[in-house]
Amino acid sequence: MRRRRAGGERRGEVLKAAIQVMAERGYDRTRFSDVAAVAGVAVSTLQFYFGSRDDMLVEALHESTEEEVRAMEAAAATGANPWERLVRLLERGLVTVPVGTWRMLLEFWYASAHDPELREHSVAVQHRYRRPFIDAIREGIDRGDFHTDEDVEDLVTVILATLDGVLIPRVCEHPYYREDRVRAVVIAQVASALGVRAPAH
Amino acid sequence: MRRRRAGGERRGEVLKAAIQVMAERGYDRTRFSDVAAVAGVAVSTLQFYFGSRDDMLVEALHESTEEEVRAMEAAAATGANPWERLVRLLERGLVTVPVGTWRMLLEFWYASAHDPELREHSVAVQHRYRRPFIDAIREGIDRGDFHTDEDVEDLVTVILATLDGVLIPRVCEHPYYREDRVRAVVIAQVASALGVRAPAH
Amino acid sequence: MRRRRAGGERRGEVLKAAIQVMAERGYDRTRFSDVAAVAGVAVSTLQFYFGSRDDMLVEALHESTEEEVRAMEAAAATGANPWERLVRLLERGLVTVPVGTWRMLLEFWYASAHDPELREHSVAVQHRYRRPFIDAIREGIDRGDFHTDEDVEDLVTVILATLDGVLIPRVCEHPYYREDRVRAVVIAQVASALGVRAPAH
Amino acid sequence: MRRRRAGGERRGEVLKAAIQVMAERGYDRTRFSDVAAVAGVAVSTLQFYFGSRDDMLVEALHESTEEEVRAMEAAAATGANPWERLVRLLERGLVTVPVGTWRMLLEFWYASAHDPELREHSVAVQHRYRRPFIDAIREGIDRGDFHTDEDVEDLVTVILATLDGVLIPRVCEHPYYREDRVRAVVIAQVASALGVRAPAH
DNA sequence: CATGAATGAGACTTCATTCAT
DNA sequence: CATGAATGAAGTCTCATTCAT
């Protein structure tokens, strides 16, 4: 069982530090002492806050994915129409800025691949992550903006696979990766799949 | 510096064991003792074969990616025309069977994200991996089979991102993932992007 | 130096909790957190009450042995004549009911074997513990009820050794231990040693 | 599960060192570093030999009780007749010399009182420990040397309780304890219980 | 060629303790 | 009076590595 919520106000900042270290060093290489050094607290304080190293890492993963999911949901809220919202989602999914976030996703998958509990969490996260995409597309179809023969679920699976897969060349800094061009190609592809003309972007 | 090729014939089998263990336990969690147990040799024998733990892991990664790249090159050789070759490549990239392979790719990226030397290797691997796709598309364009306004490199980047991204739901066994449907969608998308009609598949 | 008597009325209950935990977990395995959990107070409250962990344990030991000694003295007060008093003492020493008490005695000896201060206390306790036995036997001899060639002190040493030794099979729940039979044998043996006929029991 | 028998020839000596330290410091206070210092090996060597601290302690307990049981069995073999054998057993049980042994018994009971696995072992040990006593008494009865109304099992339970109980004043160095006198009283008591005249000792 | 013995470095973890409130 | 936050000391444990055979 996981101990939660011990400790005072600094706990939140310390968790941020854990996320930062994990993005830099990797899940399995994140030691208490690393996080302690960055957060400026004693190692035993981490133990006091999180219980065990594993619990700290898992909570950092939860926190970090939670943030990303919320960012997606926020992105979806800004578009004026389904297509615009979809474009916002794609852009958010492809944007390069918060590099820590991308790295955390890779850590998340790596860890989920070897930990049953995290795997379950990853299923839940993915469901929430898919939601705004599915909703936007469904609404577009209902309004007659989009047309497709494919099942919406499968379409979203492929779209998200592309967004996820793009993470690899970015994290590994592959030289062939050109952000602007890739974004254009992806949006064009989605537009084509949904029968949307002249994607203004 | 990395020691190579010490040891006799069992070395190959032992390397396979290392790959197997890494696919199951993950890169950073693969210990000498795990591999020794699976391979049926002493820990010190592993050291004798590979030098250090890191060297063993890196060689396992090399071996495993090399296999995958060769499989791709082989897949490309079987098609009668560019489109068929491309479909073979896509199918090979999406096929689910050698589950260890997929897991190893994730390990490869995870490790590459945190190790400069591996990162460089990942660049080289990715180049070879892209080659057959690029060649097939270029030839199709030359023959007039394919038509596209996009840059071929960027197109391939997106295609491979999709193939890579599909790995996540598979490794994490996400329930929404339906292999057959996803394959159809991906192939349709590529067909559409290249202006290919009636994708026979 | 040992701090005493800090804290309010709950202190007594908390000390009982410490005794209970020690009987269950053992002297060296009794942690502040265990006692805190059972007593329903914070760890720091224990420290406030008792000072240090060692002080808490020693006080629990004192309290617990004090209880036992008083029970013996009370048992001695109930008999009508020396033999009856002796039997009461033996029965009290062999009775099985307050299981926590027996376990505490073992903890007491274990701790005394490794702590000089406790060892001294154990000498004092043992003297008080022996007293009622010696008194009863001496009185019996004076009255002509008992006859023995042995030194009374040595006799009591052996009697108490038997009572103490019986604790082992009880604490360890050895299956061959039969309370009723053992009591009869012990009483018969003492009767025989003192030349008492027909032990009414 | 317990790892057994790793390590080379020094293992036996190291185990002796563990027993020695445990007799001095007590079960729960015996640290790896203590044993390592006495045995002149590295702490990690202990881990290599025994697996874990707990396993080391348990094995030391087993070894030590095994020795004691064997000593008893050997003592029983030396007597010319049942009474002599019985006296040898009692003397061996009361002798003060190998002080480490006595202390180990206390540690054994302390540990058994809190560990189910050890408790079971203690039952088995006790059975073997009782055997020579029971055999000697039974044979004496068969030969007509001994006469008693008590059940032999119960008699032995009480005799062994006395031997065990005598351990307390010795370990705690209680000043009233006089070895010679106690031995005489115990032997006289057993002689009396078995109807043996003029105990030659 | 391959192994078992032995070890040191470094991590996690436990736990009593200090301190401010 | 009592507590929660934070910490340091010290222990166990893991694991790669060295070495002799």
Side-chain angles (χ1 to χ4, degrees), chain D residues 8 44-45 49:
Chain D
S44 45
T45 303
Y49 282 169

Side-chain angles (χ1 to χ4, degrees), chain D residues 6-195:
Chain D
E9 312 164 346
R10 295 164 67 189
R11 197 178 187 282
E13 303 164 29
V14 170
L15 188 56
K16 295 287 183 220
I19 292 174
Q20 177 190 337
V21 171
M22 205 195 296
E24 283 166 12
R25 297 190 48 94
Y27 186 88
D28 277 332
R29 296 174 195 180
T30 297
R31 294 160 303 190
F32 269 152
S33 52
D34 301 317
V35 177
V38 168
V41 299
V43 166
S44 45
T45 303
L46 300 178
Q47 160 77 15
F48 174 62
Y49 282 169
F50 304 106
S52 73
R53 173 179 167 277
D54 244 23
D55 290 349
M56 177 181 75
L57 295 179
V58 167
E59 189 170 340
L61 242 28
H62 281 206
E63 172 74 10
S64 151
T65 51
E66 184 64 24
E67 267 180 26
E68 185 54 18
V69 165
R70 276 196 300 254
M72 269 302 175
E73 292 168 349
T78 62
N81 56 54
W83 174 249
E84 244 183 49
R85 268 156 54 202
L86 199 50
V87 169
R88 295 267 161 81
L89 287 167
L90 292 171
E91 287 178 334
R92 165 71 205 184
L94 288 165
V95 84
T96 211
V97 185
V99 61
T101 299
W102 298 116
R103 292 181 156 267
M104 282 305 279
L105 280 182
L106 183 54
E107 303 304 324
F108 182 45
W109 295 326
Y110 168 77
S112 299
H114 303 291
D115 180 307
E117 197 181 343
L118 277 176
R119 202 186 61 73
E120 282 200 34
H121 180 62
S122 82
V123 172
V125 166
Q126 206 62 13
H127 269 296
R128 290 179 56 198
Y129 207 75
R130 295 163 62 83
R131 190 82 264 145
F133 288 87
I134 291 173
D135 289 347
I137 294 178
R138 287 246 164 85
E139 196 191 333
I141 291 174
D142 288 348
R143 287 179 34 157
D145 295 357
F146 302 162
H147 306 276
T148 178
D149 292 339
E150 307 289 353
D151 182 89
V152 173
E153 292 270 354
D154 297 325
L155 205 55
V156 169
T157 297
V158 172
I159 291 173
L160 285 187
T162 308
L163 297 192
D164 288 345
V166 144
L167 188 148
I168 306 298
R170 281 195 281 172
V171 165
C172 295
E173 298 172 18
H174 286 169
Y176 58 80
Y177 183 73
R178 295 184 291 180
E179 185 180 346
D180 292 344
R181 303 299 310 143
V182 163
R183 185 172 54 210
V185 171
V186 169
I187 291 177
Q189 226 168 41
V190 173
S192 162
L194 295 173

Side-chain angles (χ1 to χ4, degrees), chain C residues 20-166:
Chain C
Q20 177 190 337
V21 170
M22 204 193 298
E24 284 166 12
R25 296 190 49 93
Y27 186 88
D28 276 332
R29 297 175 195 177
T30 297
R31 296 161 300 193
F32 268 147
S33 54
D34 300 318
V35 178
V38 169
V41 299
V43 166
S44 41
T45 303
L46 297 178
Q47 205 120 27
F48 174 63
Y49 282 169
F50 303 105
S52 75
R53 172 181 169 276
D54 259 5
D55 292 348
M56 178 182 74
L57 295 179
V58 168
E59 189 171 339
L61 242 27
H62 282 203
E63 171 75 10
S64 153
T65 50
E66 185 63 24
E67 267 181 27
E68 185 55 19
V69 166
R70 276 197 300 254
M72 269 303 177
E73 292 170 347
T78 62
N81 57 55
W83 174 248
E84 243 183 49
R85 268 157 54 204
L86 198 50
V87 169
R88 294 270 161 80
L89 287 167
L90 293 171
E91 287 177 334
R92 166 71 204 183
L94 288 165
V95 86
T96 211
V97 185
V99 60
T101 299
W102 298 117
R103 292 181 157 267
M104 283 305 279
L105 280 182
L106 183 53
E107 302 306 321
F108 183 45
W109 295 326
Y110 168 78
S112 299
H114 303 292
D115 180 308
E117 195 179 345
L118 276 176
R119 201 186 61 73
E120 284 200 32
H121 179 64
S122 82
V123 172
V125 166
Q126 206 63 12
H127 270 296
R128 291 178 57 200
Y129 206 75
R130 295 163 63 82
R131 193 80 266 145
F133 287 87
I134 291 173
D135 289 348
I137 293 177
R138 288 246 163 83
E139 196 190 334
I141 291 173
D142 288 349
R143 287 176 37 156
D145 295 356
F146 303 161
H147 307 277
T148 177
D149 292 340
E150 307 290 351
D151 182 89
V152 173
E153 291 270 354
D154 297 326
L155 205 55
V156 169
T157 297
V158 172
I159 290 172
L160 285 188
T162 308
L163 297 193
D164 288 345
V166 143

Side-chain angles (χ1 to χ4, degrees), chain A residues 169-186:
Chain A
R170 279 195 283 174
V171 165
C172 295
E173 296 172 19
H174 285 169
Y176 58 79
Y177 182 74
R178 295 185 291 182
E179 188 182 342
D180 292 344
R181 302 299 310 143
V182 163
R183 186 172 52 211
V185 171
V186 169

